[in-house]
Amino acid sequence: MSDAPTHDADEFEPVDVFETTEMDLRPGADDCYKCSTCDTSCPVAEVDDEFPGPKFQGPEQWRLKRKEGHGIDDSITSCSNCMRCDDACPSSVPLSQMHNTARGEYVEDQRFGREALSALADGSPREALSIVREGQDGLVERLRNRILANYHTSAWLASYAPGVANFVMNFGPARWAMEKTMGVTSEREFPEFADHTFREWWTARGGARVENPDKRIAYFHGCYSNFNTPEVGKAMVRVYENFGYEILVPPQKCSGTPMFANGMLGDARRHAETNVKNLAAAIENGADVVASCTSCSMALGQEYPELFDLDGIEDVAAHTYEGVEYLRLHEDLEDALDEASVEGSEFAYHAPCHARNQGLDTQAVELFSDLDGVDIEDVGDSCSGISGTYGWKEEKYDYSMEIGAEMFEHMEGADGETGMTECPTCAMQMEHGTGYEIRHPLELLDEALVDRSQ
Amino acid sequence: MAIEDDVCVIGGGLAGMTAALRAAREGARVRLLSHKKSTLRHASGLIDILGYADGELVAEPFDALASLPESHPYRRVGSDAVRAGLSLFDDVTGDAYRGSHTDANALVATHGGTVKPTARYPTRVAPGLASQSRRTLLVGFDSLTAFDAPLAADHLAAAGVPGTTRGVTVAFPGDFRADSRVTRFARALDDDEPVETASGPTPVRRALARAVEPHLGDVERVGFPAILGEEESQEVRKALESSLGVDVFEVPMGPPSLLGLGLEALFQEALDSAGVRRTTGNPVVDFDADGERVRSVSTDRNGRQVPFHADEFVLATGGLVGKGIDSNRERVVEPIFDCHVPHPDDRYEWFTDEAFGDHPFARFGVNVDDDLRPLDADGKVEYDNLRAVGGVLGGADFAAEKSGSGISLATGHAAGRAAGAAANQR
Ligand SMILES: Cc1cc2nc3c(=O)[nH]c(=O)nc-3n(C[C@H](O)[C@H](O)[C@H](O)COP(=O)(O)OP(=O)(O)OC[C@H]3O[C@@H](n4cnc5c(N)ncnc54)[C@H](O)[C@@H]3O)c2cc1C
Ligand code: SF4
Ligand code: SF4
């Protein structure tokens, strides 16, 4: 199995052929009874007085749009796609779906070249030229968002020379230039690229070591555990094999989460097509889909069917689980942990917003609180503030740290000096804000349950 | 295999949280499943037992319980359970609430300018009780249209509350968005953020007091909409009281309600320290039973079902608002277990012609025995290990009686205790 090197040479082209998805903000707008509960749960609105909040982005924007001449308000680009508002709405208004579609439409409207082309069509070549020269269509910002959203592409390139990439990505002058020219904050440490990818490790070990037609899962590793934290993927493999599962690792692309958050629905759709096709085939083959990243399981389980209409997409959604969740449902994980123990470890656990939304926010603390040798403390229900690419943008960095402040404080107040979370970008933020080392629950399961002396 | 507990409570409103807490205190291992966050954040934060009976204001709710019809949830559980539920509430809320010193209803002014009979009210609201004869100033903010202070004051005066009531609208100091969220004001006051005023940057609490001062006159107390801080509300109120030299209180507001949020937080702390496991985010859609007993219920997310097993189950999914009772054109249903919901066959008999009439639909809900177990159409217990509490129960018109929270506390307490005890015996 290859490392999904299906990258088109033109993927970085800002002028890209966009498949226009049909955007309709209507679903659910009429269900909103303006209680404003969503607004009070939005972490961005809490720190950014300019951001009018989810109620405006969703139902109100749609009402405005019904009138002629109303485009999508550019405040939509400030929504970080944390999906907290979704969870809060008592009337089940599909807020994040509305935000995702609005962002897609906004980005489509702002497409580079559109203004310049229309200036040309109006017979003003000079104006067209100056639009291009001065980047008035937000070319740079779009390019930046595109690069951030297509993290897998940068990561894939970097994986060929991780040492060089790690150096360049965190090289002061280069970072200064990235901030000045592209608006990528120089405050953050770029995630380190592992010296091998998860897929390389998987291939080198000869793929699955357990064959079992009755217990089969397809692992959706996503970009991050492939390129940056293959140890999470390896832990996942060992734990599942320990329970007798046959693991498939189908070819896959990015889940699309960073693309949704940047309104790049065309890109996201292309990736979704590959993922849905290959995962649906695995399901056909008797497997359930398991992801170790909660944003990936959220994308496959909720955002895909909300945004795209692809063959098998509902099937994939219905068969997708998070790594620990699946074991809890299908194995007696509690009993297994009851008999296990680890060397004294203390964790400050943060539930990612996307775990919260799937009802998984209490699972790690619940499971590990009875494990011998482990002390685990929930650091509260605030958002970590990074929300994928949001916290990487120069203009959002301060907000992102302000949102995260509550979590940092709670982490420092907790007994443990190691953090724990299921989300790789939350992990990045936790580490950035506290300097703690961050682990994934699957790594702790691996330590507790898998006898690696064999 | 899978997820197993002693008691599984479905629904995270006041009734569900009370049942879960009570069952946990019985020593049971309890899970609380809830689709959405608690609906308390939409409610006023007032705890009513019985405000009206037959349309008449009730002064002593406990005396009035006996006059309720036999089918009323209060009659099912008895007045001892009502007291026990309230005492659990007092235990959870401690200093944050008042009213436990008396059995009589207190009268609280609402943001609409009506007076509401209630049994427990937040401490932040206490200095404003309408039964006290004091000269009162209500202060509204032009950016907060949900509270029109002059109008509310007129309504209160017209309702004949003792003492005089005036209302004034001022600008909230500082440069906030015109449509700022109530939590934004609350946090600014929590942190005593500096704001820009005519006389330079000033801490917001002081700036607010200055904005109100010119309107004080000879009033003895000042009421603000309930946005005076989220975490530090006592400090905010104290600071305003010492600047203004009069008592300061808050008027309960509609959703999103800081008083409701505060109450929710207190209950969640209590649940966490009692070891209740909470799983929120997905609705319960299905169940599995063998004969007389429910074995498990399943939540659903985009077609993915997750089962939760337990010995005892408590149904606390609320009424028509909480979505515990649903209706289509043909019939009224309880959507999870399809428990029998008595209602006239003819849907034109579900309501009366007057908008504010005595609508039968307001009383729709499941029928239960004295142990709160739902009954089928023939009066037989639906499942031995299923109890129903709060808004999902039939026989009470919560809105007209002003009895919502009291019924949730009383039935939640009774069912939680029974479920916990039953689980212990297995
Ligand atoms: C706007 C408003 C203001 C109110 N003000 C007052 C007041 O001032 N004083 C007073 O005493 N009472 C008031 N009430 C009434 C009071 O809040 C309720 O009547 C009472 O507490 C009922 O609580 P409950 O727990 O039974 O149901 P609810 O509070 O409705 O809670 C139901 C819970 O069940 C969950 N749920 C529903 N279906 C499912 C499912 N299938 N799976 C999982 N979970 C599910 C919901 O998400 C919710 O968390 C008010 C109610 C509202 C709506
Ligand atoms: S929470 Fe839901 S119903 Fe309330 S304002 Fe937001 S979208 Fe509307
Ligand atoms: S997704 Fe998050 S950031 Fe965006 S509007 Fe909703 S709560 Fe706010």
Side-chain angles (χ1 to χ4, degrees), chain A residues 176-367:
Chain A
W176 179 85
M178 276 174 89
E179 176 164 310
K180 290 300 160 223
T181 59
M182 308 232 316
V184 174
T185 179
S186 60
E187 299 285 341
R188 292 191 183 278
E189 310 79 41
F190 260 99
E192 202 159 312
F193 294 106
D195 58 8
H196 60 273
T197 66
F198 168 78
R199 295 189 77 101
E200 282 164 5
W201 173 82
W202 178 253
T203 311
R205 97 200 276 259
R209 289 195 181 155
V210 174
E211 276 179 39
N212 188 347
D214 300 325
K215 285 171 85 173
R216 214 171 250 170
I217 58 137
Y219 178 35
F220 189 81
H221 49 65
C223 309
Y224 209 81
S225 84
N226 190 34
F227 296 115
N228 299 91
T229 55
E231 62 274 19
V232 171
K234 292 183 213 169
M236 160 102 193
V237 166
R238 283 190 292 262
V239 170
Y240 271 76
E241 286 189 345
N242 195 52
F243 280 108
Y245 284 89
E246 176 173 344
I247 300 170
L248 317 175
V249 187
Q252 53 194 266
K253 290 195 170 189
C254 171
S255 69
T257 302
M259 299 163 190
F260 301 143
N262 286 286
M264 312 209 161
L265 293 188
D267 291 10
R269 189 192 173 88
R270 259 195 308 283
H271 291 269
E273 280 167 2
T274 305
N275 292 335
V276 169
K277 187 171 101 230
N278 294 336
L279 295 175
I283 293 168
E284 191 79 355
N285 216 341
D288 282 322
V289 179
V290 176
S292 50
C293 159
T294 42
S295 293
C296 291
S297 59
M298 183 64 144
L300 299 176
Q302 178 177 330
E303 287 165 313
Y304 276 19
E306 277 182 358
L307 296 171
F308 310 126
D309 185 15
L310 301 170
D311 262 357
I313 205 161
E314 303 284 346
D315 218 19
V316 169
H319 283 88
T320 298
Y321 297 81
E322 187 274 334
V324 178
E325 176 191 28
Y326 191 80
L327 287 177
R328 265 187 105 191
L329 296 176
H330 294 90
E331 303 299 325
D332 201 338
L333 198 51
E334 253 171 58
D335 250 19
L337 284 172
D338 223 25
E339 287 156 23
S341 70
V342 296
E343 294 284 312
S345 329
E346 293 180 327
F347 296 99
Y349 173 78
H350 163 77
C353 294
H354 288 179
R356 200 168 286 285
N357 227 294
Q358 295 174 81
L360 302 174
D361 50 328
T362 52
Q363 138 181 310
V365 171
E366 208 177 292
L367 263 184

Side-chain angles (χ1 to χ4, degrees), chain A residues 18 23 25 51 57 61 72-83 95-110 142 145 257-265 303 307 390 393:
Chain A
F18 230 80
M23 314 269 186
L25 296 178
F51 182 59
Q57 300 305 339
Q61 175 127 267
I72 303 285
D73 191 79
D74 57 10
S75 59
I76 191 70
T77 58
S78 289
C79 161
S80 73
N81 198 36
C82 70
M83 301 169 95
L95 285 153
S96 68
Q97 180 182 17
M98 296 168 111
H99 299 164
N100 275 331
T101 43
R103 252 192 317 265
E105 190 165 326
Y106 175 82
V107 166
E108 176 75 352
D109 282 349
Q110 300 289 304
R142 283 181 44 77
N145 290 357
T257 302
M259 299 163 190
F260 301 143
N262 286 286
M264 312 209 161
L265 293 188
E303 287 165 313
L307 296 171
Y390 176 84
K393 299 175 181 172

Side-chain angles (χ1 to χ4, degrees), chain B residues 62-409:
Chain B
F62 283 97
D63 294 348
L65 294 183
S67 68
L68 293 168
E70 175 63 25
S71 56
H72 197 283
Y74 280 143
R75 295 291 303 277
R76 291 278 164 220
V77 294
S79 66
D80 284 351
V82 185
R83 287 187 190 281
L86 273 178
S87 113
L88 180 137
F89 177 87
D90 294 337
D91 192 32
V92 168
T93 53
D95 280 353
Y97 268 76
R98 293 280 185 271
S100 57
H101 61 288
T102 170
D103 270 357
N105 272 331
L107 296 176
V108 171
T110 69
H111 65 284
T114 58
V115 171
K116 187 162 189 226
T118 192
R120 298 288 187 274
Y121 42 93
T123 305
R124 313 163 61 158
V125 166
L129 290 192
S131 40
Q132 298 167 0
S133 168
R134 301 171 76 190
R135 291 185 298 277
T136 308
L137 175 68
L138 296 182
V139 177
F141 302 117
D142 49 12
S143 47
L144 203 72
T145 49
F147 182 54
D148 182 335
L151 191 70
D154 286 351
H155 281 185
L156 286 169
V161 299
T164 58
T165 309
R166 268 192 299 126
V168 62
T169 302
V170 304
F172 195 92
D175 189 20
F176 295 99
R177 291 176 61 91
D179 60 344
S180 273
R181 294 157 290 278
V182 292
T183 39
R184 180 72 190 87
F185 294 120
R187 293 208 181 98
L189 286 162
D190 273 348
D191 300 342
D192 206 7
E193 263 178 34
V195 292
E196 217 37 71
T197 67
S199 48
T202 312
V204 67
R205 295 177 191 171
R206 185 150 8 115
L208 179 55
R210 279 201 197 135
V212 174
E213 252 160 15
H215 305 282
L216 274 183
D218 64 349
V219 299
E220 295 159 290
R221 58 182 178 181
V222 176
F224 290 93
I227 61 163
L228 301 184
E230 206 174 347
E231 313 272 329
E232 308 292 337
S233 65
Q234 295 293 51
E235 282 67 23
V236 174
R237 214 156 47 80
K238 287 277 163 312
L240 290 172
E241 285 187 336
S242 71
S243 304
L244 293 171
V246 294
D247 284 352
V248 167
F249 65 93
E250 293 175 74
V251 179
M253 298 284 291
S257 153
L258 285 184
L259 299 179
L261 276 166
L263 180 56
E264 176 188 62
L266 290 169
F267 263 85
Q268 288 185 350
E269 268 166 45
L271 289 169
D272 286 344
S273 51
V276 172
R277 300 160 169 237
R278 289 192 277 135
T279 304
T280 308
N282 302 320
V284 171
V285 293
D286 207 355
F287 73 107
D288 183 31
D290 63 23
E292 266 85 74
R293 297 184 66 81
V294 178
R295 292 178 53 228
S296 68
V297 295
S298 300
T299 60
D300 168 272
R301 175 160 210 110
N302 294 310
R304 177 187 78 187
Q305 294 221 347
V306 176
F308 293 84
H309 296 257
D311 292 335
E312 300 290 324
F313 292 84
V314 178
L315 180 66
T317 44
L320 285 162
V321 178
K323 303 200 166 48
I325 299 292
D326 212 351
S327 69
N328 52 36
R329 291 185 74 86
E330 277 80 51
R331 53 190 213 111
V332 185
V333 294
E334 181 284 298
I336 301 178
F337 299 97
D338 197 18
C339 290
H340 174 62
V341 180
H343 61 275
D345 283 339
D346 181 355
R347 54 188 289 274
Y348 291 97
E349 287 172 30
W350 294 358
F351 44 84
T352 59
D353 288 337
E354 317 89 80
F356 295 99
D358 185 12
H359 297 290
F361 72 76
R363 291 196 169 74
F364 285 170
V366 302
N367 243 350
V368 289
D369 70 358
D370 285 350
D371 196 21
L372 295 171
R373 290 176 301 180
L375 300 172
D376 66 15
D378 303 326
K380 245 175 72 266
V381 166
E382 298 249 20
Y383 298 99
D384 280 345
N385 60 343
L386 176 68
R387 291 175 180 79
V389 298
V392 75
L393 294 172
D397 183 343
F398 305 89
E401 295 168 2
K402 305 284 177 230
S403 61
S405 300
I407 292 176
S408 293
L409 289 170

